[in-house]
Amino acid sequence: MTATATLQPVYLDEKLRQIHDSGRLDYRSKTLPTWCPGCGYFAIVDGLTTALRQMGIANENAVVVSGIGCSSRFPFFVNTYGMHTLHGRALPVATGVKCANEALTVVAVGGDGDGFAIGGGHVPHAARRNVDITYLLLDNGIYGLTKGQTSPTSAVGFKTTTSPYDNHDQPLNPLLMLLSYGATWVGQTYAGRPDHLKRMVVEAMQHRGFSYLHILSPCVTFDKTDRTYQNLDMEVRDLPEGHDPSDKLAAMREAMSSERPALGLFYREERATLGDALDDIVERAGGNAAREPVALKQAGRKARR
Ligand SMILES: Cc1ncc(C[n+]2csc(CCOP(=O)(O)OP(=O)(O)O)c2C)c(N)n1
Ligand code: SF4
Ligand SMILES: [Mg+2]
């Protein structure tokens, strides 16, 4: 064998074959992501497509709903139904989609600005209603799309175009907020740990009720100092082995505990969903929602209004 022959790009071929065989490509659209090379969002779209494939959800039975931001470009890159809505409005639209057709798997996706600045008023209500959707919150601690302004999760002291003399505002604690809002599944993962991320997306989507997955993700273009891969790799830790996800106070303590973000499932609870409550209303109003197939149930629900 010649020296040239040993340098053939076998690894790339093998990698492409693995990706092809994984089935994930069935859930990727033909539109290539417009994100900057190295952006954490690539790992997240991979996590979502893996989850859809693993769970055997047909493309036409899934809907990805987003607001506005780099993160909110998601629906373009996933081969499902999708809605790219208004800034901060992913959750009310996703709630509407789920109420209109309970049979759909609905995933809302957005950034820290979309979810906790302009859209911050919607989060508590989606959580307390326990609408059966998954909310993937892609937190890079900055407004990426508009070229790097501070966001509600930016660190104190962070220098951006809107904080040239350092950010003064205390960052929100989204995990603690979601726990107190009544979300029935709350977890955290990191784009730099793709295997952990994939497992968490699957778990979040398997939960019946409002699942909130906080995903730490570097903006490699506008943040060179704070939420970088290098810093996050050193900071993140796993939740303690004995953590009990049914213990809300323990989950809150972990959410508050230190500067080092913990990865894993903080909290899980079973509670009636918004869909259950709507079925109950239909029945009490004289319908027979529970005995009808979902499609008829939804049609009936509309007809009775
Ligand atoms: C009503 C409205 N206000 C402001 C904007 C400008 N804008 C677009 S995206 C964005 C922030 C996006 O930040 P984030 O949600 O964190 O997403 P990222 O780009 O970081 O993924 C802002 C302020 C807008 N599009 N619409
Ligand atoms: S600007 Fe930042 S968040 Fe947006 S695609 Fe580029 S790296 Fe990602
Ligand atoms: Mg952001």
Side-chain angles (χ1 to χ4, degrees), residues 41 112 140 142:
Y41 298 163
D112 38 309
N140 54 13
I142 201 164

Side-chain angles (χ1 to χ4, degrees), residues 34-36 38-41 70-71 140 142 144-145 218-222:
T34 45
W35 297 316
C36 311
C39 178
Y41 298 163
C70 294
S71 35
N140 54 13
I142 201 164
L145 187 76
C219 171
V220 294
T221 299
F222 294 110

Side-chain angles (χ1 to χ4, degrees), residues 7 56 64 76 91 114 128 142 157-158 169 174 177 195 204 235-236 239 246 276 278 286:
L7 293 175
V64 180
F76 293 93
L91 285 178
D114 193 72
R128 73 191 177 95
I142 201 164
F158 189 38
D169 304 341
M177 289 161 69
D195 290 339
E235 283 169 16
V236 295
L239 277 168
S246 67
D276 295 336
L278 293 175

Side-chain angles (χ1 to χ4, degrees), residues 230-243:
Q230 202 178 12
N231 286 346
L232 283 171
D233 283 347
M234 288 189 300
E235 283 169 16
V236 295
R237 63 184 170 104
D238 290 320
L239 277 168
E241 229 166 72
H243 177 70

Side-chain angles (χ1 to χ4, degrees), residues 152-172:
T153 60
S154 296
V156 170
F158 189 38
K159 211 183 275 302
T160 68
T161 49
T162 44
S163 59
Y165 300 103
D166 302 342
N167 179 37
H168 159 270
D169 304 341
Q170 279 294 325
L172 296 178

Side-chain angles (χ1 to χ4, degrees), residues 42-88:
F42 287 97
I44 305 171
V45 83
D46 205 37
L48 179 58
T49 50
T50 302
L52 288 165
R53 183 192 61 82
Q54 271 185 22
M55 293 171 71
I57 297 166
N59 304 62
E60 65 272 20
N61 290 336
V63 188
V64 180
V65 183
S66 69
I68 300 292
C70 294
S71 35
S72 292
R73 303 288 298 168
F74 243 73
F76 293 93
F77 313 135
V78 185
N79 184 20
T80 61
Y81 282 103
M83 294 178 81
H84 186 211
T85 71
L86 301 175
H87 199 18

